[in-house]
Amino acid sequence: MGSTTRPIKIAIIGGGIAGLALAAGLTKKPHLDVHVYEAVPEYKDVGAGLALHLNAIKAMALIGPEIRKTYFDKATTMAEEEEQEMSTEVILAQGPHAGELVAELGRAKGRKSVSRADLLAGLLELVPRDRVTFGKKLARIWETRDGDARVHIEFRDGTQAHVDCLLGAEGIHSVVRSYLLGADHPATAPKNHDRWQVYRTLVSADEARKQINEKWTRTVPILLGPRGHINCIPLNKGARLSAGVAVRGAVLDDGGNAKPLDPSLYSDYTEDAQRIVRMVAKDTSASWSVSDHDHAPFYHRGRIAMMGDAAHASLPFAGNGAAQALEDAAVLDHLFGRVKQPSQIEAALVAYDHVRRPRSQAVVNLARAFGRVYAYAEDGMHEDPEKMKSFFAGAAVFTNEADLKKQNDDAMEMYESCVRGRSRGSSNVPVSQRHV
Ligand code: FAD
């Protein structure tokens, strides 16, 4: 049972960073027949910017040097000189230590940021055109126990596909997550436990330079205070600026919507910070609300798994959501290099879950902690900048300096052990991960 000479059919739902990065790796493997189904008819540039930390770069390199290169081709160098060291500067903007630098996140030579739309366009070029279909919104999933392809999917337009393996990479409102956990599971729907509201504007860099310290149009500052932290990120090779104020415990109006951003509440912030708040308050049409996932008890069942934000959406404050999506892709790409028969898919997904769930969920927790620290809400930490510095230093070690080659190796070891267990007729799947 399960042996086949035909390629293994894999459907990836969602052509975001997770889905496309994985597809760029998997479509190079001739024993796999991979197809990406993306809901939108075409990508829209909503001006979202990402600063990818070192673990993201390492994950891209593990999938393939061309993925890493795409990122570097599309990204903006924050410094004027390619060789200049740059970082995300975290600075206290309110209180007795205002002006103090408490972290330099992601310090690197030639540090860059990238527009999400630019990165997606670059990744798309790495996937053969006939392997991606736009305008295909997943609506329904069902499984059969026998037959050739046992996982079945139906799209909003009524068309269907029948595959050996389904990977849900369709973001925070994932249909695959809802199918795996159950629509009523407490961890299925996204949460905004701390009532975060991100007010955001998108302006040309020229316009921004008229209104704020021009230094913040070239770097990625995070200016902290109790009524909101302020963040700027250059986009489109420095031509545009995304600037935002993230407020914890936002005040809502009678309709349940966050009240408009009021610059007068920031009069005790540093002048630089106040100027950015005033600029943002003029036009907050690019705003979005943020939420994350409570921890899923598993990331896969049988031949179906979730990855990226579908599996572990996090608040954006640790700047590591896309990086975690890329780590997922690196591990799955490595494992599926070895999966030659449909009967081996489950072992690969067990191994993926085994290495990726603890780490990605720790990052969800970390991002929540970042949010509290940024909002001066973590045990008086803002009163002692040294404590803040050590918090950020520890976080950077955990995210950026992780040994991702070892993560891939650990996953492969787990996979081999599961496959050996199966061939001996025993299940070698850890009890906590058996759910069928
Ligand atoms: P998504 O990017 O959400 O992609 C999912 C795709 O699936 C979309 O294209 C969507 O159209 C499609 N889709 C949805 N539903 C369906 C369906 N039913 N059928 C088919 N397709 C579907 N991360 C970092 O590493 N660094 C940062 O600096 C950073 N900054 C951030 C700032 C903000 C304000 C936010 C909100 C997030 C930030 N992140 C950052 C997080 C990062 O953007 C996400 O973690 C990352 O985009 C997740 O990628 P994904 O592919 O899993 O999901």
Side-chain angles (χ1 to χ4, degrees):
M1 281 278 286
S3 96
T4 182
T5 50
R6 65 163 175 80
I8 295 172
K9 287 168 84 104
I10 299 177
I12 298 175
I13 307 298
I17 292 167
L20 288 185
L22 179 60
L26 294 187
T27 50
K28 288 186 294 187
K29 304 183 198 326
H31 66 284
L32 303 176
D33 173 5
V34 178
H35 203 99
V36 179
Y37 298 96
E38 165 55 51
V40 299
E42 59 185 310
Y43 295 125
K44 257 201 229 139
D45 184 356
V46 293
L50 303 168
L52 294 185
H53 288 193
L54 190 57
N55 56 325
I57 315 287
K58 288 192 280 190
M60 286 189 279
L62 282 172
I63 304 169
E66 68 285 3
I67 298 178
R68 182 180 180 280
K69 180 175 179 310
T70 292
Y71 165 70
F72 279 102
D73 287 348
K74 298 290 177 186
T76 316
T77 306
M78 293 175 194
E80 277 159 19
E81 302 292 330
E82 183 72 27
E83 283 305 293
Q84 193 177 326
E85 281 211 334
M86 289 289 300
S87 59
T88 298
E89 295 182 353
V90 184
I91 298 167
L92 302 181
Q94 190 268 4
H97 301 283
E100 188 157 341
L101 177 75
V102 287
E104 295 180 275
L105 305 177
R107 174 166 277 285
K109 277 188 183 166
R111 183 150 156 68
K112 293 169 193 296
S113 67
V114 71
S115 122
R116 180 178 180 273
D118 288 351
L119 182 58
L120 289 182
L123 290 173
L124 192 59
E125 283 168 24
L126 300 178
V127 182
R129 288 309 308 213
D130 62 344
R131 302 296 192 92
V132 184
T133 309
F134 286 87
K136 287 283 174 193
K137 190 170 171 84
L138 177 68
R140 190 163 77 93
I141 305 166
W142 72 104
E143 291 168 88
T144 44
R145 296 187 74 84
D146 305 304
D148 192 21
R150 297 178 189 176
V151 183
H152 314 279
I153 49 182
E154 185 170 283
F155 300 96
R156 182 75 63 85
D157 62 8
T159 56
Q160 296 182 351
H162 308 280
V163 294
D164 301 304
C165 175
L166 174 65
L167 300 173
E170 78 279 46
I172 190 164
H173 301 288
S174 164
V175 177
V176 174
R177 181 183 186 89
S178 181
Y179 176 78
L180 287 175
L181 301 187
D184 297 333
H185 190 282
T188 297
K191 304 274 171 23
N192 184 358
H193 289 296
D194 287 341
R195 234 173 42 249
W196 281 101
Q197 172 69 27
V198 179
Y199 301 91
R200 208 172 61 98
T201 197
L202 208 55
V203 287
S204 72
D206 286 342
E207 181 53 37
R209 277 189 282 271
K210 290 181 199 155
Q211 300 190 44
I212 65 173
N213 185 336
E214 72 86 34
K215 179 182 174 191
W216 308 129
T217 65
R218 291 181 284 108
T219 59
V220 184
I222 302 178
L223 310 177
L224 311 189
R227 282 173 302 287
H229 68 264
I230 294 143
N231 179 215
C232 295
I233 186 160
L235 301 176
N236 308 108
K237 295 199 177 271
R240 287 195 301 171
L241 184 78
S242 166
V245 183
V247 177
R248 184 172 182 269
V251 182
L252 306 180
D253 63 19
D254 293 343
N257 298 312
K259 289 194 167 170
L261 179 62
D262 179 359
S264 72
L265 297 176
Y266 297 82
S267 55
D268 56 347
Y269 277 46
T270 57
E271 181 53 34
D272 263 13
Q274 287 189 54
R275 285 217 226 162
I276 302 172
V277 176
R278 285 198 289 272
M279 180 177 78
V280 173
K282 281 183 193 160
D283 171 20
T284 54
S285 56
S287 295
W288 47 40
S289 61
V290 293
S291 43
D292 66 7
H293 282 141
D294 286 335
H295 297 334
F298 47 85
Y299 284 178
H300 93 102
R301 187 178 61 229
R303 297 179 181 182
I304 303 178
M306 52 187 174
M307 64 180 297
D309 274 13
H312 44 72
S314 60
L315 295 173
F317 309 132
N320 221 259
Q324 291 306 307
L326 289 163
E327 288 194 24
D328 290 346
V331 169
L332 285 167
D333 177 67
H334 188 54
L335 289 164
F336 274 92
R338 202 64 72 84
V339 173
K340 299 288 162 59
Q341 298 176 6
S343 59
Q344 296 167 335
I345 292 169
E346 185 168 2
L349 299 183
V350 165
Y352 158 72
D353 180 285
H354 181 71
V355 298
R356 289 298 304 142
R357 189 156 47 90
R359 175 164 164 78
S360 55
Q361 292 183 340
V363 171
V364 173
N365 292 343
L366 187 67
R368 289 178 179 176
F370 265 70
R372 291 192 300 274
V373 172
Y374 284 173
Y376 289 7
E378 185 78 359
D379 268 351
M381 205 186 264
H382 58 286
E383 285 156 12
D384 183 354
E386 290 311 312
K387 275 195 191 156
M388 265 200 184
K389 285 178 192 169
S390 67
F391 167 81
F392 289 119
V397 168
F398 181 70
T399 53
N400 301 357
E401 290 171 32
D403 184 345
L404 300 191
K405 164 84 172 54
K406 180 171 182 311
Q407 180 167 253
N408 275 5
D409 291 346
D410 289 349
M412 189 56 79
E413 196 179 310
M414 179 82 186
Y415 168 77
E416 304 275 347
S417 146
C418 288
V419 169
R420 276 199 304 275
R422 282 182 95 95
S423 66
R424 282 200 305 268
S426 71
S427 170
N428 217 15
V429 176
V431 173
S432 63
Q433 291 164 23
R434 285 186 219 144
H435 354 267
V436 197

